[in-house]
Amino acid sequence: RPLLDPSPPLPALFASVGFSIFAFLAALYLIPALGPTFVKANLKGRDLLKVYSDPIPESQGLVCASIYILLLILFIPFPFSNSVGSLPDSGKTLEGLQGVASLHHELSIYLSSLLSLLMATMLGFLDDVFDIRWRHKLPIPIIAAIPMLMVYYAEGGNTHVVIPIPLRRFFGVLVNLGPLYYLYMSLLSTFTTNSINILAGINGSEVSQAVIIAMSVILNDLLYLPWPIDFKIPLHLLGSQAEVEVGGAWHAGMAYGSSELVDRHLFSLYIMLPLLGVCLGFMYHNWYPARAFPGDTLCYTTGMAFSVVGIQGHFSKTLLLFFLPQIFNFVLSCPQLFGLVPCPRHRVPRFDPDTNLLYASKVLFLRPPSKTASFVLRIMSSLGLTALTTHPSNGTILEATNLTVLNFLLVRLGAMNEKRLVQMLMATQVTGSLLAFVVRYGLSGLVYDG
Ligand code: UD1
Ligand code: MG
């Protein structure tokens, strides 16, 4: 595609939509068809929140990831072949050489992303099979992110952040974070891969988070495409505050030509659309009452896909805004994740078979909690984040509800059935995304000059 042509290559975008519909249908068909094969390979789990104990095929995210990655590979010729064809004498003229260089660059972005996705899928599947310990699996997404970080480095990716207006007196307008910026990006991949996995355990929870985040990213990408003239006004408004480099920071004015910006969001669409397709197909079977479980494979693959578009599309901070419920769940979980409060193997809500309702599950203190733990739990309880059972006479904490968003919702809103709870979780995710758009396009003008 010629360098300065700002219109999107429509055939590739249409192909991507076609591939996504195919991904949806493939997941819809293959998930139940391969279920028995998974059960036979001992990849099965019991639904903890049901009366029945039939084995449910587990880690069928592997089917989703396989469909997804294979389609991403089959898609490669579409955005990349016509660019070469359309260049006159690609090897000879300056324009031709620039075109070839930019093609190689975009291809390396795409291929490194595939590598990271494959690593994440492998890690997810290994985790399903071997139940890898936290301290062993945490560093792996960091390593999985290296290929795409190298590509970011090779393109001279910026490591500057724009300082909000009130703080500029101390730091200036731009601060170069250098290697710290790379550390931030690699931690991003650890966060996106794990954060969906720990907001899990009820039918439809993992995949619905992925669906809503993917839809939010797609919506955000669409804002950057050069729509026909009627839509130009909002696009122009966005352009003036576009999150273009310097360093993926909110930056006033378009630093690069608009075609660069369009390309990044097109890339993001190519990665997100088939993900949405495959997830919607899977969701049909994972919806209450679930006939298939995602396993960690689905959480890791989708999480890595989000990191890939956030980093390569240079909108990692906007992406993090779409993860507000996951950030909240992670902060809430910290006392249990870092061992201050005991963390049982499963923190899913408690199921009462008589009423068919879910209640917040509790962690029982066999020994009285430490001073620090008691202090933290009491603060959390006063904020309404957990419910405590205390000893009637001396007030020591005997029980606390598990520190997850699902239990938090049950503590605040009372017992409800599983389907209702997953709908509440989805509503929370949608609200988070709406808030994200307000913050990104409304409020950022207050702290950054637009
Ligand atoms: C994470 C959570 C854990 C939660 C689990 C549920 C942390 C630190 N870990 O662990 O608290 O209990 O996810 O996925 O927060 N299951 C259902 N219904 C569902 C989905 C899963 O009952 O809709 C059960 C099944 O028995 C399934 C198992 O959860 O086999 C899968 O758990 P797994 O993904 O291996 O747990 P972790 O990711 O390690
Ligand atoms: Mg899991």
Side-chain angles (χ1 to χ4, degrees), residues 30-40 43 56-58 60 291:
L30 284 176
I31 295 292
L34 293 174
T37 318
F38 274 66
V39 173
K40 213 159 51 180
L43 293 166
I56 313 272
E58 175 84 70
Q60 286 211 291
R291 281 86 58 211

Side-chain angles (χ1 to χ4, degrees), residues 312-328:
Q312 306 288 34
H314 298 210
F315 56 88
S316 60
K317 283 192 274 331
T318 306
L319 179 81
L320 274 177
L321 286 175
F322 296 139
F323 274 78
L324 288 176
Q326 287 71 23
I327 294 174
F328 179 51

Side-chain angles (χ1 to χ4, degrees), residues 422-437:
V422 79
Q423 286 167 343
M424 289 309 300
L425 178 67
M426 290 169 75
T428 311
Q429 191 79 43
V430 171
T431 313
S433 283
L434 292 178
L435 194 68
F437 278 105

Side-chain angles (χ1 to χ4, degrees), residues 31 38 43-50 52 54-64 128 201-204 206-207 282 285-286 289-298 418:
I31 295 292
F38 274 66
L43 293 166
K44 56 181 187 213
R46 168 175 160 15
D47 199 324
L48 301 169
L49 309 177
K50 301 289 185 300
Y52 51 83
D54 317 16
I56 313 272
E58 175 84 70
S59 59
Q60 286 211 291
L62 185 66
V63 179
C64 300
D128 277 329
I202 62 169
N203 294 176
E206 295 96 322
V207 72
F282 177 73
H285 302 292
N286 185 227
R291 281 86 58 211
F293 281 155
D296 299 333
T297 317
L298 187 96
E418 191 173 353

